[in-house]
Amino acid sequence: MKKTLILLGLCLIFNCSKNELLDQYTTEISALKTEQELKNYWKELHDLDQITYLKETKGHLQGDSISITNMIRTALMFEIHGDDVYTPDNVVPILNFTHNYIGDANLAFWPIIQKCKKTGGVIESFGGKFPAYQLEGISITFYDFSLFRQDNKYNALLEKLNNKSYNTTVSETLFKIQEEQKKLAQLEIKDVVGKWHIERMNNIVEKGFFEFVKMSDNSLYLKRKHRLQKLIPIETTDTYQNYKIENEPFGWTYKLSNGNLSLLDDKGTTLIDYNAYN
């Protein structure tokens, strides 16, 4: 475990290149030959999530980097050893997915979730009946919106996810996302456009806030704690502006009008009217 932590730390400090990082894990995972070796490796990935990530990691940047690295290694298990490397009682991919806080990474990982669903087993009931737990993972990381007790939305949202085109090499996509997160961490705030209370369900105000901020690259972002999601303007009038989060999967948008902010679904129906944070 200590060796793994040191290795992960070195990758963060020295900014491993794609070849250095992916080649290292590709070599490591390709060397697994027996059923017991594969089982032991899944156990290591489980411990990386439950112990290293959840209990031993200090600092949000390191935490996000380790989280995505765990997803990369899980993806490589599928890519190198095939779908049969996954068994119905394996919770590792599900933990990778639901413990990650980067929306783009969860979306890139969705083909792995599809493979787990095809195999069946624990994914059908872990955290609730599929797809409740998994859709919540997408809706929270992209929009900070809870789908709790909104089963009527599940089929349409699941269809959107399953019908998207994905890069078949999930590990490479995740690495690119990890590198992009490092670049975003270097940006500085130039201006705060607005600040609102966190509301994962309409009219239920939670502790904390999120912001629309203009960063030093002159782009507008949605900022939740330390994490940034780029906002793309899609409509501007004299009275309001509509934005979508870059790469968002559901077609949901934010409407900003005179400091008032709402989250709209793909039909234009208001999901949340946010309360201003003073």
Side-chain angles (χ1 to χ4, degrees):
M1 182 61 66
K2 289 183 179 179
K3 182 179 179 182
T4 302
L5 275 172
I6 292 171
L7 184 58
L8 286 168
L10 288 174
C11 284
L12 287 167
I13 294 170
F14 296 110
N15 192 23
C16 287
S17 70
K18 170 183 171 181
N19 287 339
E20 289 173 325
L21 185 64
L22 291 186
D23 284 358
Q24 169 194 318
Y25 290 134
T26 298
T27 300
E28 181 181 289
I29 292 170
S30 296
L32 305 174
K33 301 301 182 183
T34 69
E35 183 176 341
Q36 187 60 48
E37 288 174 338
L38 292 170
K39 184 177 180 180
N40 291 344
Y41 199 81
W42 280 123
K43 175 63 165 57
E44 180 181 343
L45 293 181
H46 183 273
D47 289 347
L48 280 170
D49 176 273
Q50 295 292 289
I51 301 173
T52 304
Y53 174 52
L54 294 183
K55 296 180 181 180
E56 298 178 355
T57 299
K58 304 297 182 183
H60 59 264
L61 291 177
Q62 186 187 50
D64 286 345
S65 185
I66 290 176
S67 174
I68 297 177
T69 299
N70 289 347
M71 298 172 91
I72 290 172
R73 295 171 77 176
T74 291
L76 283 169
M77 287 287 278
F78 283 87
E79 291 164 11
I80 293 170
H81 293 288
D83 295 356
D84 289 342
V85 76
Y86 179 77
T87 55
D89 61 343
N90 189 343
V91 299
V92 171
I94 304 168
L95 294 176
N96 290 161
F97 182 82
T98 53
H99 288 164
N100 170 65
Y101 291 96
I102 306 299
D104 282 346
N106 268 357
L107 190 58
F109 199 74
W110 190 256
I112 302 299
I113 295 299
Q114 290 175 313
K115 292 176 184 293
C116 296
K117 169 61 177 172
K118 184 176 180 180
T119 298
V122 67
I123 194 172
E124 299 289 355
S125 57
F126 193 94
K129 186 177 179 181
F130 184 90
Y133 199 47
Q134 291 71 26
L135 287 177
E136 186 83 349
I138 291 286
S139 65
I140 290 293
T141 55
F142 269 101
Y143 319 99
D144 210 21
F145 177 85
S146 177
L147 290 166
F148 180 65
R149 292 183 177 175
Q150 300 193 57
D151 305 38
N152 60 318
K153 291 183 169 64
Y154 289 177
N155 287 340
L157 297 179
L158 190 61
E159 184 177 2
K160 287 179 182 291
L161 290 172
N162 289 340
N163 289 339
K164 282 182 65 67
S165 296
Y166 297 91
N167 187 333
T168 55
T169 311
V170 176
S171 58
E172 291 188 3
T173 304
L174 288 168
F175 178 82
K176 292 175 182 177
I177 292 168
Q178 188 178 54
E179 292 301 292
E180 180 62 26
Q181 290 299 309
K182 293 176 185 177
K183 293 177 183 177
L184 290 176
Q186 303 304 312
L187 298 178
E188 297 180 354
I189 297 175
K190 292 179 64 176
D191 186 34
V192 176
V193 175
K195 184 183 294 188
W196 300 272
H197 282 278
I198 293 173
E199 295 180 53
R200 291 183 169 178
M201 303 181 74
N202 201 27
N203 294 322
I204 300 180
V205 177
E206 300 187 23
K207 183 179 179 180
F209 63 87
F210 67 98
E211 304 168 283
F212 278 17
V213 293
K214 188 174 183 180
M215 301 300 290
S216 51
D217 64 350
N218 291 318
S219 294
L220 187 66
Y221 291 86
L222 190 157
K223 181 176 182 290
R224 295 188 182 96
K225 295 184 178 179
H226 62 278
R227 299 181 181 92
L228 295 171
Q229 294 171 290
K230 191 172 184 178
L231 291 167
I232 308 299
I234 57 175
E235 184 181 10
T236 300
T237 72
D238 292 337
T239 57
Y240 67 86
Q241 300 85 40
N242 274 5
Y243 301 92
K244 70 173 184 177
I245 295 173
E246 186 175 43
N247 300 325
E248 64 82 30
F250 293 161
W252 295 358
T253 60
Y254 291 94
K255 182 177 181 180
L256 179 62
S257 178
N258 296 320
N260 298 312
L261 185 70
S262 300
L263 177 65
L264 312 179
D265 68 12
D266 58 326
K267 306 297 183 183
T269 302
T270 299
L271 298 172
I272 295 179
D273 287 317
Y274 295 100
N275 290 286
Y277 188 93
N278 299 315

